[in-house]
Amino acid sequence: AQPGARREAGRRGPLMSGADPPTGEAPQAEPFALKTLRNRGRHKIFLGYAPGVGKTFTMLAEAQRRFKRGEDLVVGFVETHGREGTAEMAEGLPVVPRKQIDYRGKVFEEMDTAAVIARKPEWALVDELAHTNIPGSVHEKRWQSVDEILAAGINVISTVNVQHFESLNDTVYEITNVRVRETLPDSILDRADEVVLVDLTADALINRLNRGVVYDLDKIPGALSNFFRRGNLVALRELALRKTAEEVDESLQEYIDEHEIETPWATEDRVVVCIKAGPVAKKLVRRGYRMAKRMQGKLFVVHVHTPGETLGRHHAELAELFELARNLGGTVVELSGDSEADVILHFAREHRATFVVLGQSRRSRMDEILRGSSLIARIMRETEEIDVLAVADPSKAGKEAG
């Protein structure tokens, strides 16, 4: 995923396109914040779901390729955790010496942020973004040190596990019963210019753990019975996959917006079910669910409130429909507008729908001629890029939907 393409353009374009000041007028000093944004380095993050999936190794492998191509690159801070393969991959790369910090009678090593900036490399490698620095460091968190390096115009390649993001802290606790203390804002990932998922199946990671690749052999039993239980790893892996998918989706939307693409590409199936109170509504929701499940896509259940609609009479029925949609894993969306068709068309295009599911029109052909096209006729006419499914109304045959 490369979600930074749009953000980079947005940061730099307007700041570099200002007109020259009129003749005789002294140019005004550029605000420091704008200078920082203009010169900001690029940030590439290798994202994993647990220790041992290979984030640091993958980062170092890329660093070796860049270094051999002649790019100016330094190691700001890399933690090998005693893994031989990782240590071997780091050999030969230029290293900025770590800063020695005396804390409570012991000497600790942290990244020397000032030295990295003074060195002015093209790229800096910084492992474990969520790490908490030893008291006495300039910044409390390593991600803050990285932010300073980026602000200095230096590109950074870093690593982090999904369980460290603040928004997922409670979810991770519910999954693993382990409260992650070192967290970082989700905005760090959102602002990244490139996010790469380093993936490994749960079984492969457990096998790697059993072989002593991740931890020393004496630590393996405890790890397997706690954080590294297979169920935990499967759930954490899904979180990482979803987080990366969000970044890809955002990147695609930014690209579509930037290039003003009128007919967005369908990267996954998205089923939009349009409902209103009535005998066919539950059938619509269930049909949409089966379609989305079969295609492994997303389900949206949309109700449009229009002027003059009597909400009280149908409130309980709509609440029941919304509950059904949520129970089936769908996203319920309530919208308002003067034209039901306009609202649905806008929503379907904005969310890159691939299917729109509607109930069959009850209006006669003569009624449509006199009063205008039915909802389904208009949507079919104006959505050439979206497939439309009209579900039969069972009430017409004297039967009720089940």
Side-chain angles (χ1 to χ4, degrees), residues 327-380:
N327 288 341
L328 293 175
T331 299
V332 174
V333 182
E334 296 186 75
L335 302 170
S336 300
D338 294 332
S339 167
E340 187 178 5
D342 287 342
V343 173
I344 292 172
L345 286 166
H346 177 76
F347 180 86
R349 288 167 179 153
E350 185 179 46
H351 289 78
R352 301 199 303 280
T354 53
F355 288 89
V356 171
V357 180
L358 304 115
Q360 188 178 33
S361 175
R362 297 185 179 187
R363 295 170 58 189
S364 67
R365 179 59 182 155
M366 181 57 69
D367 187 38
E368 290 187 16
I369 293 173
L370 294 174
R371 299 172 56 192
S373 299
S374 66
L375 172 65
I376 191 168
R378 179 166 172 211
I379 289 179
M380 289 181 68

Side-chain angles (χ1 to χ4, degrees), residues 17-35:
S17 59
D20 292 330
T23 305
E25 182 178 329
Q28 298 191 6
E30 186 176 37
F32 174 76
L34 297 189
K35 290 182 181 180

Side-chain angles (χ1 to χ4, degrees), residues 23-53:
T23 305
E25 182 178 329
Q28 298 191 6
E30 186 176 37
F32 174 76
L34 297 189
K35 290 182 181 180
T36 301
L37 287 173
R38 175 185 291 181
N39 300 319
R40 191 174 179 84
R42 293 180 59 81
H43 192 190
K44 180 172 184 175
I45 297 177
F46 285 102
L47 174 68
Y49 70 87
V53 296

